[in-house]
Amino acid sequence: MVMAGGAPFAILRTTAIIVDTSNAELRAIGEVLSALIRRPAGFPVAVSPMGSTPIAGAISLRLESRPTLGEEGYELTVTQDSARVVANRPAGLFRGVQTIRQLLPPEIESDMGVNRVDWSLPALTITDQPRFAYRGAMLDVSRHFFTVREVEQYMDLLALYKLNVLHLHLSDDQGWRIQIDSRPKLTAMGSLTQVGGGTGGFYTKQDYAEILRYAQARYILIVPEIDMPSHINAALIGYPELSCGQRPPALYSGTEVGWSSLCVDKEETYALVDDIIRELSAMTPGPYFHIGGDEVKTLTHQQYVKFVERVQTIVTKYGKTMIGWEEIAQARLNPTTLTHMWKSDSAAAAVAMGSKLILSPANKLYLDMQYTPSTELGLHWAAYVEVRDSYDWDPATYMKGVTERDIFGIEAPMWSETLRNITAVEYLAMPRLTAVAELGWTPQSARSWESYRTRIVTHQRRWNYLGINYHRSPQLPW
Ligand code: TNX
């Protein structure tokens, strides 16, 4: 970013947003910016076709062939006369719009008209693109169920901070949360509770399509996870003949892990797994299918490995790239399979097979970890994780034998054992999610805790306007 030092660009009643309106996708991005400004400013900043209006006095969003900007990079140039975003791909324009949003005063987040605000952008140029292609957040909708609207509210936060993946943990011992037509008992019997004994819930195919639509409009990729062969009790309630756990399948609202399992030696198990992967893959446009694979306590090593390798062929058959928690590195993995590190260096074995890593070290990025011993929500089995812990580390030097090239990206999981609604989720996410976002986007050499901590507190008023809950960490100069 280079501050130009000249007069700012003022957005006025007469300002237009110029895009190639013949392209519906680009028009939609223009409308996003227009809608953002319209309500608080009290005037419509109209979307106009390219060429009809002089660029002077306007905000233009334009695609250009600029391979160096990649999928999500953009260039923003603001002078007294105009603001211009150029990108190689539509996602880059969308990310650039979020930067415009952050450059405008906090009142831009108001849902009502706000008087006497100077809607100006400082004169500058920004050339920006992400460090990692995969910058994710995970939401556990099984331990507690979250409504479609709540999932969308979480995506609003991801979009504001340029995260590009929402990983949905759609099944676990406590609840099966996604409609599978060929196996109706999964939801009919497996969705009825959650931790603490509430009524649970599940997403219909229409609900899931709505989540996907909302995600696509924000250039967020949905990664569905069905956790197997353990964490599977909810599925077995309707299909108890496939259970090989110690306990008979029944609704479960506790928080123990590792005790349930599919019968990996029964052929019928793979018919169920095939049905689930086939249907959910068909419903999901993105390239990934997360099979879980974590915390299996009731199978032998051989049984586990055989299961993972067989499921890998099923995921491949339905055209998806497999992701699994780091335990899958015990199996023989395809080089395209992604290994999701969370607790140890066992994922390093996957790198030797050509697999790339998603890093979610629990003591840094698990957003369900309490900030301190007095945080009311969350767990602390990995650590107490204050904002600085999430921010102040380098993925490229975190694991022995793992370099920047081996890392596909980072992800911040939100396990929901203690989280009964989105307000609780937000309290643990914010501000740590913004630290994760900067970790995923900004090169290590350009990051510093001292800079981050003074910049992030200026977002407090934005969160207040947005009605977002957050932790007033004593590490930050509020
Ligand atoms: C470990 S992380 C789990 C989850 C729990 C989480 C709580 C992982 C792959 N498994 O089942 O919800 O800890 O922090």
Side-chain angles (χ1 to χ4, degrees), residues 83-352:
R84 199 153 48 89
V85 185
V86 173
N88 189 48
R89 306 276 299 138
L93 293 179
F94 186 83
R95 304 294 178 236
V97 163
Q98 301 308 312
T99 295
I100 290 177
R101 180 179 177 187
Q102 292 189 20
L103 288 168
L104 287 166
E107 289 86 351
I108 194 67
E109 306 298 351
S110 172
D111 205 26
M112 306 186 290
V114 191
N115 288 327
R116 287 184 294 276
V117 175
D118 174 11
W119 302 107
S120 286
L121 294 167
L124 49 66
T125 60
I126 291 175
T127 306
D128 199 13
Q129 60 185 346
R131 175 180 180 185
F132 295 115
Y134 183 113
R135 306 177 309 282
M138 189 211 81
L139 188 61
D140 171 6
V141 297
S142 178
R143 270 56 176 273
H144 279 94
F145 182 66
F146 294 88
T147 63
V148 171
R149 184 59 206 136
E150 286 179 307
V151 173
E152 291 175 349
Q153 284 177 276
Y154 205 46
M155 283 195 269
D156 288 342
L157 272 180
L158 269 57
L160 174 55
Y161 291 106
K162 305 191 180 90
L163 291 162
N164 67 355
V165 175
L166 178 65
H167 164 192
L168 289 173
H169 184 77
L170 290 167
S171 67
D172 213 301
D173 293 320
Q174 297 83 351
W176 185 275
R177 306 302 183 203
I178 184 72
Q179 178 183 350
I180 302 290
D181 290 330
S182 58
R183 299 287 182 156
K185 287 188 283 187
L186 289 171
T187 48
M189 301 180 73
S191 74
L192 304 177
T193 196
Q194 58 185 7
V195 169
T199 51
F202 69 93
Y203 306 120
T204 63
K205 290 201 163 174
Q206 289 95 304
D207 289 337
Y208 189 68
E210 160 64 17
I211 289 170
L212 284 164
R213 193 197 55 72
Y214 201 88
Q216 270 161 0
R218 287 154 185 77
Y219 297 88
I220 293 169
L221 184 72
I222 298 291
V223 173
E225 177 188 352
I226 298 297
D227 203 346
M228 351 176 213
S230 194
H231 289 274
I232 196 74
N233 171 68
L236 296 172
I237 300 169
Y239 302 91
E241 65 279 12
L242 302 182
S243 169
C244 274
Q246 328 275 339
R247 306 183 201 178
L251 289 179
Y252 179 69
S253 57
T255 61
E256 289 163 64
V257 296
W259 51 271
S260 62
S261 181
L262 286 164
C263 274
V264 297
D265 298 327
K266 271 197 186 159
E267 203 45 39
E268 299 90 303
T269 291
Y270 298 94
L272 175 76
V273 169
D274 194 285
D275 284 341
I276 293 165
I277 295 178
R278 183 184 67 251
E279 280 198 40
L280 190 46
S281 293
M283 289 154 67
T284 305
Y288 304 111
F289 193 103
H290 201 308
I291 65 142
D294 57 314
E295 295 179 318
V296 184
K297 295 183 184 160
T298 61
L299 300 177
T300 66
H301 171 78
Q302 281 82 355
Q303 283 178 312
Y304 176 76
V305 164
K306 222 179 94 196
F307 177 83
V308 169
E309 290 176 1
R310 182 139 177 206
V311 171
Q312 184 173 245
T313 65
I314 297 172
V315 171
T316 308
K317 175 172 73 168
Y318 292 116
K320 300 298 183 192
T321 296
M322 188 170 98
I323 308 178
W325 297 107
E326 65 182 61
E327 286 92 327
I328 65 165
Q330 297 167 58
R332 198 152 9 152
L333 301 179
N334 298 335
T336 51
T337 291
L338 296 170
T339 303
H340 197 165
M341 177 271 166
W342 63 282
K343 62 173 178 185
S344 76
D345 55 6
S346 71
V351 171

